[in-house]
Amino acid sequence: MDEQQPGPGSVGDETSTLGGRQPTDVVWTRRLRLRHVTPEGPGEVFESASDRLQIGLHPLNDVCLTQRGVSRFHCEIYTSERHEVWIRDLGSRNGTFVDGVRVREAALADGSLLELGGVTFRFERTAERNALQVSPEARFGRLVGTSLAARTVFALLEKAATTDVSILLEGETGTGKTDAASAIHQASTRRDHPFLVVDCGTLPGNLLESELFGHERGAFTGAVTQRVGVFEEADGGTVLLDEVGEVPLDLQPKLLRVLESGEIRKVGTNAQIPVDVRVIAATHRDLRCEVNEGRFRADLYFRLAVLRVTLPSLRQRPEDIPLIVPRLLDSLAGDERWRARLLEPAFVERLSRASWPGNVRELRNHLERCLALEEEFQPDEGVHLQGAQGAESVDLAVPYSEARRRSLEAFDRAYVLALLKRHQGNVARAADAARVDRVHLHRILKRHGLRSWRA
């Protein structure tokens, strides 16, 4: 196959940010290729249509296998924001192995051998590329950003708003999933009808069922009046099921029934009530892992994830922080003089260097604190870990692999900043002191977007 070349106005796959370019409508990413390895020799070839390739037993995987040792959602291969190719195990039963080593997440090199439940593939780098749509806009509702990570997501959200399918919004806590859902609703034909949010993680199962579907008077102890549920109240509009991964297993079939039939049944009655509701679900969990663990129904997952959108973390798009800060300050009360001080380029630059594990929510809280106390608090540039004695700071709501990746990124950044500060920014002396190659140190600096050791 001939190599696809980026056309005029497109962005090459080496570029991860705008870097002064004008907004474009296409980003090019290298196609992912797997070749099945059998005792008889090379076998079937699988290629991606995007920057991800999902592998497992379920027929809706990109690579659908039939071997019994493979899990329903076994693993996925993806291109990172730095254009490296990685593989991530999705909580598979028998594990994912790269060149004989079991991994949760690992970088892939050309020719790496992957073993998945008794099946072997060889990963191959290709010259062919896939075109991914990128929005020309730097805003979608309350979400703002000019980075490719942001505008690629905006393109998906814009497309989602023109349809009526269910959407699954994924992403770390604080990435703006509620704002994304609200913007989808406002850009859709349902905008003149209600947009209601249910936090599935804050209610026990019996109360959550009543919240969603309503109940009749006397249906249970304390039900002294009839209640209209969220699905009925939002008829014609949109319902956001926030933290949908927390819905109890025994309630999931009832939720599936609503998605399949468009009907609800109130607690305490057998009558079916038709509803016309668009469902958007949001979660910080990887529901594919939850399916593998038996905590989430596969059929419900696919009903919710007709369109799956992952919102990027601030670590993936630090260049968007100068756009986000003014928007956040506009929503906060405070002295105008201090508001202007928090918009000064030097202060915003320091904000852009921090890791922000709590994402936009944490950034907003930091700015609110600065305004309230009228002091320029410096962000923690990567040291959000408190060591072994600070185990309570570990976020147990995220999978182990994600928590470990965040910790390692924070350590890398903090160590390199401290190292360069000690050696007054001299990379050669810093590399010698750390006993690493100078080229490797430069790669770490580039990976974390560090141009200076100064805070």
Side-chain angles (χ1 to χ4, degrees):
M1 183 181 294
D2 294 334
E3 179 176 353
Q4 294 175 282
Q5 296 294 336
S10 63
V11 179
D13 68 335
E14 296 82 7
T15 305
S16 60
T17 64
L18 279 175
R21 298 174 185 264
Q22 293 300 310
T24 60
D25 60 356
V26 170
V27 58
W28 296 84
T29 182
R30 290 202 181 276
R31 191 171 300 170
L32 305 171
R33 177 184 292 165
L34 288 180
R35 189 178 299 276
H36 190 194
V37 177
T38 69
E40 293 75 32
E44 188 176 1
V45 174
F46 301 90
E47 292 189 342
S48 67
S50 68
D51 58 346
R52 290 179 183 268
L53 196 63
Q54 185 173 286
I55 307 167
L57 279 180
H58 198 283
L60 290 182
N61 283 287
D62 301 307
V63 180
C64 180
L65 304 176
T66 58
Q67 288 81 355
R68 295 184 60 184
V70 177
S71 295
R72 279 181 286 188
F73 304 104
H74 200 101
C75 64
E76 71 173 346
I77 300 172
Y78 66 96
T79 304
S80 74
E81 64 273 14
R82 291 184 290 272
H83 307 288
E84 301 163 337
V85 179
W86 286 70
I87 187 168
R88 176 191 296 127
D89 183 78
L90 299 175
S92 64
R93 183 173 67 253
N94 293 318
T96 298
F97 295 79
V98 176
D99 296 326
V101 178
R102 184 166 183 166
V103 301
R104 289 183 178 272
E105 197 163 15
L108 294 180
D110 187 30
S112 291
L113 286 179
L114 317 179
E115 297 175 52
L116 324 168
V119 186
T120 302
F121 292 98
R122 176 178 288 107
F123 170 72
E124 299 176 352
R125 291 192 178 277
T126 69
E128 292 82 15
R129 303 179 182 187
N130 294 315
L132 301 180
Q133 295 301 308
V134 177
S135 173
E137 304 296 331
R139 175 183 296 272
F140 184 73
R142 290 175 53 82
L143 304 177
V144 295
T146 57
S147 66
L148 289 181
R151 294 189 299 117
T152 302
V153 166
F154 292 169
L156 286 172
L157 297 177
E158 289 162 1
K159 185 176 294 186
T162 65
T163 73
D164 214 27
V165 300
S166 300
I167 302 171
L168 179 63
L169 298 175
E170 300 175 308
E172 297 175 11
T173 298
T175 48
K177 296 185 288 293
T178 300
D179 284 344
S182 176
I184 291 171
H185 172 76
Q186 290 300 324
S188 74
T189 57
R190 295 177 178 268
R191 68 180 67 88
D192 296 327
H193 297 277
F195 171 73
L196 300 181
V197 181
V198 179
D199 189 341
C200 302
T202 60
L203 296 172
N206 61 327
L207 294 183
L208 179 59
E209 182 177 5
S210 176
E211 177 78 8
L212 293 173
F213 309 127
H215 63 252
E216 292 294 331
R217 179 180 179 182
F220 51 84
T221 302
V224 294
T225 60
Q226 184 188 61
R227 173 170 183 165
V228 174
V230 166
F231 279 113
E232 189 175 0
E233 187 180 352
D235 193 41
T238 304
V239 170
L240 169 61
L241 301 176
D242 198 14
E243 295 304 343
V244 71
E246 310 301 325
V247 174
L249 263 176
D250 60 350
L251 186 54
Q252 291 178 24
K254 299 175 183 178
L255 184 55
L256 178 63
R257 190 181 309 123
V258 177
L259 294 168
E260 290 183 332
S261 68
E263 295 180 332
I264 63 166
R265 183 168 61 85
K266 290 185 178 182
V267 179
T269 180
N270 290 323
Q272 301 292 328
I273 302 173
V275 292
D276 174 23
V277 172
R278 200 261 186 89
V279 174
I280 302 176
T283 179
H284 72 279
R285 298 183 183 277
D286 191 325
L287 293 187
R288 296 167 300 179
C289 297
E290 299 297 298
V291 170
N292 287 338
E293 293 293 330
R295 293 190 292 263
F296 204 85
R297 293 176 60 112
D299 48 5
L300 177 57
Y301 169 74
F302 278 109
R303 277 290 181 178
L304 292 171
V306 175
L307 180 59
R308 182 169 159 249
V309 182
T310 301
L311 273 65
S313 66
L314 277 186
R315 294 186 307 282
Q316 295 172 286
R317 55 187 193 111
E319 63 271 37
D320 289 338
I321 289 179
L323 278 178
I324 296 171
V325 169
R327 181 183 72 78
L328 294 177
L329 287 173
D330 285 343
S331 68
L332 299 174
D335 182 79
E336 287 300 320
R337 182 171 51 87
W338 269 95
R339 195 186 304 275
R341 285 186 62 172
L342 298 182
L343 287 172
E344 291 179 357
F347 182 71
V348 174
E349 172 67 17
R350 289 195 289 271
L351 295 179
S352 299
R353 294 177 187 168
S355 58
W356 303 114
N359 294 294
V360 177
R361 184 176 298 144
E362 182 185 358
L363 175 59
R364 184 185 189 279
N365 291 343
H366 183 84
L367 293 172
E368 188 171 22
R369 180 185 177 210
C370 292
L371 276 177
L373 300 181
E374 296 189 349
E375 185 174 346
E376 289 185 17
F377 293 103
Q378 301 306 315
D380 188 345
E381 297 196 356
V383 192
H384 289 275
L385 308 174
Q386 298 177 7
Q389 73 277 15
E392 67 279 359
S393 67
V394 175
D395 186 359
L396 297 178
V398 301
Y400 168 82
S401 59
E402 173 65 13
R404 182 176 182 274
R405 184 183 65 79
R406 292 187 197 178
S407 299
L408 291 175
E409 281 192 359
F411 169 78
D412 261 9
R413 190 182 182 97
Y415 182 89
V416 168
L417 279 171
L419 182 69
L420 290 178
K421 188 172 184 179
R422 171 172 292 183
H423 295 281
Q424 298 295 304
N426 188 304
V427 175
R429 289 203 303 266
D432 184 61
R435 298 182 184 178
V436 298
D437 187 86
R438 189 190 317 175
V439 174
H440 181 64
L441 187 55
H442 275 298
R443 285 175 180 165
I444 296 175
L445 289 169
K446 183 179 179 181
R447 185 163 70 242
H448 292 284
L450 299 173
R451 297 180 297 276
S452 169
W453 58 269
R454 291 181 175 84

